[in-house]
Amino acid sequence: MGGGILITKAVAVVLVLVAVLGGSVQSVESAIGVNWGTISNHRLAPSTVVDLLRDNKIQKVKLFDADPDCLRALMGSGIEVMVGVSNDLLATLSSSSAAADLWVSQNVSRYMVRGGANIKYIAVGNEPFLTSYGGQFQSYVMPAITNLQQSLTKANLANNIKLVVPCNADAYESSLPSQGAFRPELTQIMTDLVAFLNSNGSPFIVNIYPFLSLYSNSDFPQDYAFFEGTTHSVTDGPNVYYNAFDGNYDTLVSALNKLGFGQIPIVIGEVGWPTDGAITANVNAARVFNQGLINHVLSNKGTPLRPGQGPTDVYLFGLFDEEAKSVLPGGFERHWGIFSFDGQAKYALNLGLGNGLLRNAKDVHYLPFRWCVVDPLKDLSGVSDHFKLACTVADCTNLNYGGSCNGIGERGNISYAFNSYYQNSRSCEFDGLGMVTFLNPSMGECKFLVGVAEEVVTEHVSVGLQLYRGSVIVWLLIFWGFGVFMI
């Protein structure tokens, strides 16, 4: 808003050649990856995250930027990485080849060393054609791609790293999959973009969210959003659609067909289901959707318009909850993770990577197990301003209608807000209304969190210490060699 058997370079080349020649694409097996978002006040150390990825045999990860801490931690892991260029950089990169050279140097080349990061894609923008952006990024995309491609060529990386553009599903529209077409104002730029992708062997990346269709439309049939069968199937000529994912996917296939590139590989950049913050967002629904999606994709049955050929890769959204994200779309925005903020699996999920169910993060360093709650002896007549302050600074979306903490009562709501604030700031004063307790105040499904200790600085110190030790050893060897020479 996001495994299996990796596609070899040889297969990728065959796909590109077949697409160029206009033939049919052979069946390929999909791979499962994850989106690693970092908009959180409770971030695990990147090294802990990489260990978590390894333990779960996740071999593909998508970043929304080029976070240096994440990329340093990924170096030497072998995990395939997609780094991102944020939308606010597109204007600069589109107008300046020097800026593109600098971006590639600082965010890609420095990590592409022996034993470095395995960067495979650069995502140029994130859903830059989203209708809510009003076209403000539209004109920058292709010039930015042109400059970045030239920069990759200068850095001798153009053969190893592919440029892509993650698109939201609102880039195309139709009442039936077979009639899919890109929005009229996007026809020319999409023609240019897909031609570029095809000529460079890059896939088309799309984000598909059946949850958002259900959330935004009260008439949307709930069972059609999942993969368990539906009484609301969609008939489109000879084809019948039993889930929204396949219908959306084939709408894109039709739109690409209309541009003459119907066989270009497709990657799902984001797909998932949130676990809190809205009436249709809960743990059970997320488990059913994500497991159904994984089973469906890895079956390689494909879709009616691409039988036997599913998406090349699927990146689940997301790896963790991000409690500092904007809630403008809805409170659910902070609850997409298959893991909670501390790397603990929210539900039983098999990623189909030969590893069984999700494994939790290890050696997580928590803050002291203390909670801030409202003092039961205090009058709450003046608590509203404190409640608003706490929920402005911290995350209270679990208290939303349909949320996991919605039914814990007034004092429970206030305590939840106070504790969320406390885990960020370690302050439980609230003009004397708050008190620290050693007793966990969690109630049923409503969990009062304990934050994780900040470890990024520790990692930097560790890296610096290693470099220092390395330099000492080098100088000792030099002096030893000098001494031997003198003898």
Side-chain angles (χ1 to χ4, degrees):
M1 103 118 169
I5 299 176
L6 301 181
I7 297 177
T8 65
K9 290 182 179 179
V11 173
V13 171
V14 170
L15 285 175
V16 175
L17 290 175
V18 171
V20 171
L21 295 173
S24 59
V25 175
Q26 299 297 313
S27 174
V28 295
E29 296 196 31
S30 302
I32 303 296
V34 294
N35 285 270
W36 178 3
T38 57
I39 307 177
S40 175
N41 296 319
H42 301 279
R43 292 179 57 180
L44 290 177
S47 60
T48 302
V49 178
V50 173
D51 288 342
L52 176 66
L53 295 171
R54 283 170 159 168
D55 286 346
N56 286 281
K57 297 187 177 180
I58 298 171
Q59 288 297 310
K60 293 175 181 284
V61 66
K62 177 169 165 278
L63 305 176
F64 291 93
D65 49 23
D67 186 294
D69 292 322
C70 296
L71 286 170
R72 274 192 289 266
L74 286 162
M75 293 178 73
S77 69
I79 296 172
E80 184 178 297
V81 186
M82 182 187 304
V83 298
V85 175
S86 58
N87 290 335
D88 59 352
L89 290 177
L90 293 178
T92 300
L93 295 177
S94 70
S95 61
S96 170
S97 58
D101 291 344
L102 181 62
W103 191 92
V104 168
S105 173
Q106 292 183 337
N107 299 289
V108 180
S109 299
R110 66 188 300 184
Y111 303 108
M112 295 290 287
V113 296
R114 184 181 296 275
N118 183 21
I119 300 174
K120 290 295 185 181
Y121 296 107
I122 297 174
V124 183
N126 183 41
E127 300 182 337
F129 309 123
L130 200 65
T131 52
S132 60
Y133 290 147
Q136 62 177 305
F137 304 117
Q138 190 170 315
S139 62
Y140 303 135
V141 173
M142 289 310 300
I145 285 176
T146 299
N147 285 340
L148 286 169
Q149 184 67 28
Q150 291 173 351
S151 299
L152 289 174
T153 300
K154 294 176 189 176
N156 295 317
L157 294 172
N159 292 330
N160 304 101
I161 299 175
K162 304 299 182 184
L163 299 178
V164 293
V165 180
C167 295
N168 188 276
D170 77 345
Y172 47 91
E173 52 195 7
S174 173
S175 57
L176 290 172
S178 63
Q179 299 173 10
F182 289 107
R183 299 196 323 256
E185 71 273 21
L186 295 179
T187 300
Q188 185 56 57
I189 191 171
M190 281 298 178
T191 301
D192 297 340
L193 172 60
V194 178
F196 170 83
L197 297 174
N198 187 70
S199 65
N200 284 275
S202 301
F204 188 96
I205 297 189
V206 64
N207 302 338
I208 297 178
Y209 282 107
F211 168 81
L212 295 180
S213 299
L214 178 61
Y215 176 79
S216 61
N217 183 359
S218 59
D219 294 327
F220 191 89
Q222 182 163 330
D223 59 1
Y224 188 62
F226 295 87
F227 299 87
E228 310 301 305
T230 179
T231 58
H232 301 84
S233 59
V234 174
T235 300
D236 184 8
N239 298 321
V240 180
Y241 292 87
Y242 298 98
N243 63 79
F245 179 86
D246 284 356
N248 196 312
Y249 188 92
D250 273 3
T251 303
L252 171 60
V253 172
S254 294
L256 292 168
N257 267 323
K258 288 182 172 61
L259 299 184
F261 296 96
Q263 297 298 339
I264 191 170
I266 295 174
V267 165
I268 306 301
E270 297 176 29
V271 61
W273 200 280
T275 57
D276 217 325
I279 191 66
T280 52
N282 56 74
V283 167
N284 185 60
R287 179 189 61 79
V288 171
F289 177 84
N290 280 330
Q291 194 63 72
L293 168 76
I294 291 166
N295 295 344
H296 180 65
V297 168
L298 295 184
S299 72
N300 294 304
K301 292 179 180 177
T303 61
L305 294 187
R306 282 192 175 183
Q309 182 199 342
T312 304
D313 296 322
V314 175
Y315 292 86
L316 295 179
F317 189 84
L319 186 58
F320 301 117
D321 284 351
E322 298 175 81
E323 90 288 350
K325 286 189 70 177
S326 168
V327 294
L328 189 60
F332 56 83
E333 271 299 300
R334 297 176 174 178
H335 302 280
W336 290 97
I338 56 177
F339 293 93
S340 53
F341 72 95
D342 55 352
Q344 307 306 296
K346 294 190 197 173
Y347 46 86
L349 185 67
N350 189 327
L351 298 177
L353 305 178
N355 200 41
L357 300 179
L358 292 179
R359 299 183 179 183
N360 294 333
K362 300 174 183 176
D363 302 322
V364 177
H365 300 289
Y366 292 92
L367 296 173
F369 279 77
R370 301 168 188 166
W371 296 263
C372 177
V373 297
V374 65
D375 189 329
L377 303 178
K378 294 298 177 73
D379 173 57
L380 300 182
S381 57
V383 77
S384 61
D385 287 342
H386 297 294
F387 180 85
K388 291 177 182 177
L389 170 64
C391 290
T392 298
V393 174
D395 178 36
C396 295
T397 52
N398 299 59
L399 302 176
N400 290 2
Y401 177 67
S404 61
C405 298
N406 180 245
I408 62 175
E410 180 186 19
R411 284 186 175 271
N413 289 343
I414 297 168
S415 290
Y416 186 90
F418 281 10
N419 183 65
S420 295
Y421 181 88
Y422 173 70
Q423 299 300 331
N424 286 344
S425 66
R426 311 311 290 167
S427 173
C428 186
E429 176 56 32
F430 300 107
D431 285 342
L433 296 178
M435 59 175 283
V436 174
T437 177
F438 293 86
L439 299 176
N440 190 339
S442 298
M443 292 173 266
E445 294 183 356
C446 180
K447 308 299 182 185
F448 282 56
L449 65 85
V450 172
V452 295
E454 177 61 54
E455 299 178 65
V456 174
V457 174
T458 302
E459 287 196 317
H460 290 172
V461 171
S462 176
V463 171
L465 184 59
Q466 291 176 19
L467 292 174
Y468 170 76
R469 288 172 176 169
S471 64
V472 169
I473 292 172
V474 169
W475 279 109
L476 286 174
L477 288 173
I478 290 174
F479 284 124
W480 178 81
F482 180 74
V484 170
F485 176 78
M486 291 295 292
I487 293 172

